[in-house]
Amino acid sequence: MKALRCFCFSVCALLLLEESSGFRDLRRPENVSVDSLNTRYVLRWDWPHETAANQTVTFTAQYLREFRSRKASNEKYWTSVCVSVLEHRCDFTGAIHYKISFLLRVWANTSQQSSGWVQISFCPDEHAALGPPSSLKLSSIKGDLEIIITDPLSSTNQSMKTLLNDRLSYLIQYWRRSAEPQKAKFLETKNNLVILTELDRQTWYCVRVQSRDGSHNKSSIFSDTPCTRTEGQMPYWQIFLYFLISLLLCFLLVLLNFCFYKMFTLLKNTFCPAIQLPDHIQELWLSDSEKPQLLAPESPESVCELLVMVSAELDAVAVDEHSNTEEQDSSTHGRHGSGDSGVYSTEEDTGHRSDLQMSSRKHREELHDGMLLELCA
């Protein structure tokens, strides 16, 4: 009977052991860490998906104050923050205090399996990252720079200076802005209002600030970098330089206007000249029927136009005939008496003039016909 009981006990123990080993087959989460900034804490982890094919894997995350972990029965003190979540993260913001050390753990489980716990130690005051100032204002006052620094804030919009017990300080970095790299100057202070002196007048300066916790040697990233220009009287060399630049600009403007004027005048005189052609020439030019046209080289016909020419030879003949007539008139006038000389002279003079005009006209026509025949030939 005892042997049967021992056999049954052994079988049950073996079954429980096999079940327990099957229950622990699921892999644990990996790369467990805390992303923190001031009082915001997010636990993150990785987990290989191929270890649980066709199964839904969820995760549970818990925390425990570290001093309670020394007790033998501490399971009842673990507090769950995320239970059976699908994400690989769990937000512990607001669950843990900034000054206390905690233990954080996470495990993976399915409907049939579960992994072991993965546990890390985390103290926000020592391990949490410190954020930069929440805001930074820069202004120029009488040639100096006034810097107003706002403390980094917690998740409840509380100043981190109250949590750090006035250990919070600031490292101010400032430099003169220019095209070439400038050597920066540093100033460390715990004040929220800082005035930078001994700066150049009418010069641009840039400032950025870093938060620091000296007790744990923690430093934040730098804040945004505002820039402003200091006030003060402008140097004389700068005034003279601006004056020269303004003169150069005025000269260029006048020169440009002069060039435009000359160009406009040239175009106007070219396309719209001030001297106009006579009206009869404009009418002749605008009339299509009277425009002079050139003959085509292939035209076989000859075109003759009436050309009237008065030559010097014709004028000499007319003068000779007139002189002969005057001599005849003078001889005739000598034969007649003084009583009828006036009437006779008038009649003879008229007859001779008509004969002279007739002979001159005939001679001109003969010369004209001869020259016209030569032109047509």
Side-chain angles (χ1 to χ4, degrees):
M1 188 69 179
K2 289 182 179 181
L4 181 62
R5 287 180 179 177
C6 290
F7 177 74
C8 291
F9 179 77
S10 299
V11 171
C12 291
L14 182 62
L15 291 176
L16 289 174
L17 182 61
E18 290 180 354
E19 183 179 359
S20 176
S21 62
F23 187 69
R24 295 288 183 180
D25 280 344
L26 200 62
R27 289 185 60 176
R28 297 182 179 187
E30 300 175 354
N31 301 324
V32 181
S33 62
V34 179
D35 287 344
S36 60
L37 181 65
N38 295 336
T39 60
R40 297 172 178 84
Y41 323 110
V42 178
L43 184 67
R44 298 182 183 275
W45 59 88
D46 298 328
W47 193 80
H49 297 276
E50 64 274 5
T51 58
N54 300 325
Q55 297 186 56
T56 302
V57 180
T58 58
F59 303 92
T60 299
Q62 299 176 342
Y63 73 92
L64 173 70
R65 295 193 177 190
E66 191 172 6
F67 72 91
R68 288 181 176 177
S69 63
R70 302 183 183 92
K71 296 181 180 180
S73 56
N74 56 19
E75 286 294 328
K76 62 180 179 180
Y77 296 109
W78 284 94
T79 303
S80 297
V81 178
C82 299
V83 179
S84 299
V85 296
L86 299 175
E87 297 84 2
H88 295 176
R89 61 186 295 276
C90 182
D91 192 354
F92 282 81
T93 301
I96 58 181
H97 195 271
Y98 190 79
K99 293 289 186 178
I100 301 175
S101 296
F102 291 87
L103 295 177
L104 309 180
R105 67 181 185 178
V106 59
W107 76 344
N109 60 291
T110 64
S111 59
Q112 299 177 355
Q113 295 176 311
S114 178
S115 69
W117 291 99
V118 179
Q119 178 178 296
I120 61 172
S121 177
F122 178 70
C123 178
D125 188 22
E126 183 178 354
H127 301 130
L130 185 62
S134 56
S135 68
L136 182 65
K137 295 181 180 180
L138 189 63
S139 59
S140 176
I141 300 177
K142 297 181 179 180
D144 299 331
L145 288 183
E146 181 184 70
I147 305 174
I148 300 177
I149 306 172
T150 304
D151 298 331
L153 302 178
S154 65
S155 58
T156 59
N157 292 329
Q158 181 183 4
S159 173
M160 289 297 297
K161 189 174 287 187
T162 59
L163 297 175
L164 294 174
N165 297 328
D166 295 332
R167 301 194 316 259
L168 182 65
S169 62
Y170 300 105
L171 179 65
I172 301 174
Q173 183 183 19
Y174 63 98
W175 64 94
R176 186 172 60 183
R177 190 177 73 177
S178 64
E180 299 179 356
Q182 297 290 326
K183 184 178 179 180
K185 297 181 180 181
F186 295 91
L187 176 64
E188 189 168 2
T189 181
K190 290 186 177 182
N191 300 323
N192 294 91
L193 178 62
V194 179
I195 297 179
L196 301 178
T197 59
E198 299 181 359
L199 303 177
D200 296 335
R201 306 292 183 178
Q202 297 291 330
T203 306
W204 283 90
Y205 282 90
C206 298
V207 178
R208 63 179 184 174
V209 181
Q210 182 187 58
S211 303
R212 310 191 93 182
D213 180 7
S215 59
H216 295 292
N217 197 21
K218 293 193 300 183
S219 300
S220 71
I221 62 174
F222 278 98
S223 64
D224 295 335
T225 307
C227 298
T228 188
R229 189 175 66 175
T230 56
E231 298 176 353
Q233 185 178 1
M234 187 179 299
Y236 292 107
W237 66 267
Q238 195 170 2
I239 297 175
F240 182 70
L241 179 62
Y242 288 160
F243 177 71
L244 290 181
I245 293 175
S246 61
L247 285 181
L248 179 61
L249 291 177
C250 291
F251 175 75
L252 292 177
L253 183 61
V254 171
L255 181 61
L256 187 62
N257 290 333
F258 178 76
C259 293
F260 276 125
Y261 172 75
K262 284 297 183 181
M263 185 179 297
F264 174 76
T265 305
L266 179 61
L267 294 176
K268 181 180 179 182
N269 294 335
T270 302
F271 295 101
C272 299
I275 301 176
Q276 301 291 336
L277 295 175
D279 295 338
H280 64 280
I281 297 180
Q282 292 184 6
E283 293 177 358
L284 180 62
W285 181 258
L286 297 176
S287 177
D288 295 335
S289 61
E290 299 179 359
K291 283 185 178 180
Q293 299 179 355
L294 297 177
L295 291 176
E298 297 81 6
S299 177
E301 299 179 358
S302 297
V303 179
C304 296
E305 293 289 341
L306 181 60
L307 182 62
V308 178
M309 297 182 64
V310 179
S311 63
E313 182 181 356
L314 182 60
D315 294 337
V317 172
V319 171
D320 293 339
E321 292 180 355
H322 181 67
S323 61
N324 294 332
T325 305
E326 287 181 352
E327 290 176 358
Q328 292 175 4
D329 290 343
S330 60
S331 61
T332 306
H333 181 70
R335 296 193 192 113
H336 295 279
S338 57
D340 55 352
S341 60
V343 177
Y344 178 79
S345 299
T346 303
E347 291 176 355
E348 292 294 331
D349 190 24
T350 303
H352 284 289
R353 286 182 182 177
S354 60
D355 294 338
L356 178 61
Q357 292 177 357
M358 289 293 293
S359 61
S360 177
R361 187 179 296 113
K362 289 180 181 181
H363 186 68
R364 289 179 182 177
E365 290 177 357
E366 290 175 357
L367 292 177
H368 174 265
D369 293 339
M371 296 181 67
L372 183 60
L373 291 175
E374 292 178 359
L375 290 175
C376 291

